[in-house]
Amino acid sequence: AAVRSRPRRAWRWGNLLVSFAHSVLAGLWALLSLWNSSELLGDIQDGYCVSGHLLVCFSSGYFIHDSLDIIMNHQSRSSWEYLVHHAMAISAFVSLIVTGRFLVAAMLLLLVEVSNIFLTARMLLKMSNVPSPALYELNKYVNLVMYFAFRLAPQAYLTWYFLRYVEVQGQGAFLMANLLLLDAMILMYFSRLLRSDFFPSLHKAPAGRDVDGEKFLID
């Protein structure tokens, strides 16, 4: 009832459910691929496995689908940050698919989808006005742990690796720029998460702001 009452909220709900399904599939896929091919971690630039290649193709398809869903449902203005993120991901992943290089880096980045399972669940719980605060509280702390383990840690390691070992030219330079932009976005959303869930006194949403159509972490 809380979702159906407003059209934009209904769209956001359906869109987030698709995001949740992608996070479950891609997150577990990335974990299993890296577990079964752990030797690839020693060759981030040129390591290759079919499972990782298919995972990158699958996630590229999701990012394209989600971008089209946002645009065709006239949500570009409220979800512009998501479109920027998707454009970065699609362009980077297409370059990996074509060249076959840095696929292991993409697999490490896609570990973020494990964290997204709990981040998306957080947003769904908020939207549905679940009457059990304990469920939201539990997810809040699990989400924080997963954010560190599967978003901040892999991102920090890859940034260090690229700065130290990857030649800054051609594809390496392009991926480096994408990675640094993604670093900035991740830190910005982490600060929003902390303010909203752990320091609510510092979080002041603009009066009258309608966030029903926004996909990224605002509230």
Side-chain angles (χ1 to χ4, degrees):
V3 171
R4 293 195 187 101
S5 61
R6 305 174 73 171
R8 291 183 69 194
R9 183 174 291 192
W11 168 80
R12 189 185 183 206
W13 177 266
N15 185 279
L16 286 173
L17 284 178
V18 176
S19 296
F20 183 79
H22 170 257
S23 295
V24 172
L25 289 170
L28 294 177
W29 192 340
L31 274 175
L32 289 173
S33 294
L34 288 170
W35 179 269
N36 292 328
S37 305
S38 56
E39 70 279 359
L40 294 177
L41 294 173
D43 190 4
I44 287 180
Q45 294 191 52
D46 297 307
Y48 179 87
C49 71
V50 174
S51 178
H53 194 124
L54 293 175
L55 169 61
V56 175
C57 292
F58 171 73
S59 287
S60 298
Y62 162 72
F63 291 135
I64 292 170
H65 167 273
D66 198 51
S67 299
L68 292 174
D69 186 34
I70 291 171
I71 294 168
M72 294 177 68
N73 284 280
H74 311 292
Q75 303 297 329
S76 301
R77 185 176 179 181
S78 61
S79 300
W80 66 270
E81 296 172 36
Y82 222 57
L83 291 176
V84 171
H85 171 274
H86 284 3
M88 291 164 52
I90 292 166
S91 59
F93 282 3
V94 167
S95 78
L96 307 183
I97 293 168
V98 171
T99 64
R101 301 185 70 230
F102 295 103
L103 283 171
V104 181
M107 292 163 68
L108 283 170
L109 280 177
L110 284 169
L111 287 175
V112 72
E113 296 300 337
V114 178
S115 168
N116 281 343
I117 294 172
F118 302 93
L119 187 62
T120 307
R122 171 194 181 278
M123 291 187 281
L124 290 170
L125 287 169
K126 275 204 147 188
M127 286 183 64
S128 61
N129 297 328
V130 173
S132 172
L135 182 59
Y136 185 88
E137 285 293 308
L138 174 62
N139 186 76
K140 179 174 78 173
Y141 289 102
V142 174
N143 181 36
L144 184 64
V145 172
M146 294 299 175
Y147 206 103
F148 272 104
F150 292 102
R151 189 182 297 260
L152 293 178
Q155 189 76 20
Y157 174 72
L158 279 176
T159 301
W160 170 82
Y161 181 89
F162 268 73
L163 289 172
R164 181 164 184 177
Y165 295 111
V166 176
E167 195 170 350
V168 187
Q169 64 177 16
Q171 186 185 19
F174 172 68
L175 294 177
M176 174 74 79
N178 269 307
L179 193 61
L180 293 176
L181 285 172
L182 191 57
D183 286 345
M185 294 181 78
I186 283 178
L187 291 175
M188 178 175 64
Y189 291 117
F190 185 53
S191 70
R192 288 183 185 177
L193 176 67
L194 290 178
R195 287 200 308 271
S196 180
D197 276 359
F198 297 94
F199 303 100
S201 61
L202 302 177
H203 176 70
K204 296 181 180 179
R209 180 170 187 171
D210 179 10
V211 298
D212 285 345
E214 293 180 347
K215 282 200 58 180
F216 256 123
L217 181 63
I218 302 297
D219 53 348

